[in-house]
Amino acid sequence: MGDNSFDAWRRHSPFYGETHEALSASVRAFIQREALPHVDAWEEAGIVPRDFQEKAGAAGLLGLGFPEAIGGTEDGIDSFHKLVLVDETARCGSGGVQSGLFTHAVAMPLLIDHGDPALAARIAPEIIAGRKILAIAVTAPSGGSDLAALKTVARRDGDNFVVSGSKTFISNGMRADYFVTAVRTGGAGMGGISMLLIPGDSSGIARTALRKMGWHAGDTATLHFDAVRVPANHLLGEENRGFRPILRNFNWERVQAAQQCTAFARIAHEEAVDWAAQRVTFGQPLGTHPVIRSKLADMKRHIDTTQAWTDLNAWRFDQGTESAAEIALLKVQATQMFEKVLREAAQVLGGASFVKGTLIERLYREVRVGAIGGGSEEILLDLAGRQLGYGTQ
Ligand SMILES: Cc1cc2nc3c(=O)[nH]c(=O)nc-3n(C[C@H](O)[C@H](O)[C@H](O)COP(=O)(O)OP(=O)(O)OC[C@H]3O[C@@H](n4cnc5c(N)ncnc54)[C@H](O)[C@@H]3O)c2cc1C
């Protein structure tokens, strides 16, 4: 029998070595000890307790790839260590747990690369330690795809900005202590957007929790800003030039999203293979029926090609040759692969896949958000098409 285990892909890939295996073992042990026994209860409660964030910080999960000076681990870390982190935290089968852990991964570079050094030095170590939570608040209720049209306004008033407006679908929105927030400080379009670090306990912020189809363990919120005063030194980068740094950050977020999809799909495939080996129909194991055997092989075909392309894009990041167009296409490939594999895994399990509380039922509910969050399929295909010059002849 071939190697269908969750880890098989790493053994077949030239990009992974001993340090990646060591990281995988330590993150796996953490997830098995600290998350797996509780994940069903967290899904039910719709929130992950704060102390899990601190445990993850203490175990080094939140600092991977960030500078030593703020408590992170940067030396010897490449993109594949970061993929391993995504992969192993996905093993608890809950996108909500992952989104709860890692919103800072997208927000933090804006703080440490573009923020006031004293501000970053005070706040960033708290986030890496898991004592504070940092979220990214870009999407506006008026529309998430058209970032350049966002309406949350920050008006300068002496040593402060005064922020008014709303954000929605914000992961960790209920728990976050700080929000890296996209605001309009200038005129219309992308040239009027700035990034501002807004403390969550500022007067004038209200939060409304959103109930969702999936990512149950991760909280998601709409934020309302009513004349919130934010010190002017909380501006991240130059005024009215916040748009490009946000866009640059999305590239790595999308590669990670692709890895999350392949990890979840490999879990689903493993479940389907196990089930097909044990379940007997028409007097023989389900997996020996040619139609089911082909289905399992076809799932693997989709997963492995997507994983290989994810690895290639991670490698290109390390070479400094990443391509926004290719990454956009990769994310679409990954979310569509995830949708296809989960559908087929559910078919193999039959009625059991429809029962609440089973892993396949939960993963099935995680499919839709991938195709929308962090750049929807339509927007990413169009972005790639434009960058590749299609339709311009
Ligand atoms: C669970 C969850 C967590 C999220 N977490 C965060 C977060 O932490 N921070 C944050 O800032 N945002 C977050 N988001 C928001 C997410 O990035 C947006 O949902 C996404 O960008 C799409 O925006 P929208 O939902 O407003 O859809 P819209 O922009 O209203 O688009 C609706 C649909 O129309 C399509 N569409 C729009 N314009 C076009 C066009 N020109 N041509 C063709 N099709 C088009 C889109 O692809 C989409 O399918 C999260 C979303 C979800 C669901």
Side-chain angles (χ1 to χ4, degrees):
M1 181 150 163
D3 188 353
N4 287 302
S5 74
F6 184 82
D7 310 310
W9 64 283
R10 279 205 302 273
R11 287 197 283 276
H12 302 153
S13 168
F15 298 115
Y16 297 84
E18 279 176 17
T19 58
H20 304 100
E21 288 307 321
L23 177 68
S24 152
S26 91
V27 179
R28 183 169 306 184
F30 174 82
I31 291 293
Q32 276 172 347
R33 190 178 64 246
E34 302 294 346
L36 275 176
H38 311 294
V39 73
D40 290 342
W42 296 344
E43 284 279 310
E44 201 60 43
I47 201 142
V48 179
R50 287 292 288 234
D51 72 339
F52 179 65
Q53 198 81 8
E54 282 194 53
K55 287 176 183 168
L61 268 59
L62 307 181
L64 199 85
F66 289 112
E68 267 79 5
I70 58 164
T73 321
E74 205 174 25
D75 245 17
I77 298 299
D78 61 22
S79 291
F80 298 97
H81 294 101
K82 296 179 195 169
L83 293 191
V84 166
L85 180 66
V86 174
D87 213 50
E88 289 297 337
T89 49
R91 281 176 72 95
C92 62
S94 162
V97 169
Q98 283 191 305
S99 77
L101 277 177
F102 294 127
T103 49
H104 73 292
V106 190
M108 186 76 102
L110 294 161
L111 172 63
I112 59 180
D113 294 343
H114 303 279
D116 172 54
L119 183 71
R122 179 164 58 82
I123 291 169
E126 293 291 293
I127 291 152
I128 298 291
R131 287 189 290 273
K132 300 285 182 196
I133 292 177
L134 177 68
I136 178 105
V138 174
T139 303
S142 53
S145 303
D146 188 3
L147 283 185
L150 67 86
K151 295 196 172 98
T152 315
V153 171
R155 181 177 49 79
R156 187 71 185 252
D157 181 21
D159 288 342
N160 291 293
F161 284 99
V162 181
V163 181
S164 296
S166 305
K167 295 289 174 188
T168 196
F169 305 135
I170 305 308
S171 302
N172 266 335
M174 296 305 290
R175 301 191 307 163
D177 302 285
Y178 299 98
F179 297 100
V180 166
T181 313
V183 291
R184 184 162 302 287
T185 44
M190 64 179 82
I193 293 174
S194 302
M195 297 304 291
L196 205 54
L197 181 77
I198 304 184
D201 60 0
S202 308
S203 163
I205 299 185
R207 313 178 190 212
T208 311
L210 299 171
R211 297 185 67 211
K212 311 182 294 297
M213 172 197 288
W215 280 19
H216 284 177
D219 80 82
T220 309
T222 297
L223 311 174
H224 313 273
F225 301 101
D226 182 10
V228 176
R229 297 188 81 79
V230 182
N233 75 337
H234 283 219
L235 185 69
L236 307 175
E238 285 179 61
E239 195 166 336
N240 296 330
R241 303 191 79 156
F243 195 72
R244 294 236 161 266
I246 308 177
L247 290 192
R248 258 200 307 277
N249 249 7
F250 278 145
N251 280 338
W252 181 248
E253 185 192 3
R254 287 169 188 158
V255 176
Q256 287 189 310
Q259 184 62 39
Q260 185 189 46
C261 290
T262 63
F264 283 155
R266 278 186 284 112
I267 293 170
H269 185 248
E270 209 171 52
E271 288 272 305
V273 169
D274 286 351
W275 180 270
Q278 286 161 31
R279 184 78 169 170
V280 173
T281 70
F282 298 92
Q284 63 189 75
L286 181 60
T288 63
H289 294 292
V291 169
I292 299 297
R293 190 163 50 221
S294 300
K295 212 184 259 306
L296 294 171
D298 203 39
M299 288 159 74
K300 187 168 168 54
R301 170 175 71 88
H302 283 285
I303 295 168
D304 286 1
T305 49
T306 308
Q307 183 65 63
W309 203 19
T310 306
D311 283 357
L312 188 63
N313 275 282
W315 177 79
R316 289 188 64 178
F317 246 95
D318 287 344
Q319 307 305 306
T321 60
E322 75 273 16
S323 143
E326 196 176 324
I327 290 169
L329 295 179
L330 167 69
K331 180 169 175 281
V332 176
Q333 165 65 23
T335 53
Q336 294 194 351
M337 173 280 298
F338 184 25
E339 190 157 24
K340 162 89 177 161
V341 167
L342 257 294
R343 181 194 189 281
E344 296 299 69
Q347 283 303 109
V348 172
L349 267 77
S353 71
F354 203 63
V355 175
K356 198 142 182 66
T358 62
L359 194 51
I360 295 295
E361 181 266 342
R362 185 155 83 218
L363 287 175
Y364 204 94
R365 286 187 285 100
E366 313 294 45
V367 163
R368 292 307 317 151
V369 63
I372 294 164
S376 65
E377 289 178 352
E378 292 79 7
I379 296 301
L380 292 182
L381 286 172
D382 187 54
L383 180 154
R386 276 184 286 115
Q387 293 214 352
L388 294 167
Y390 301 153
T392 56
Q393 289 83 2

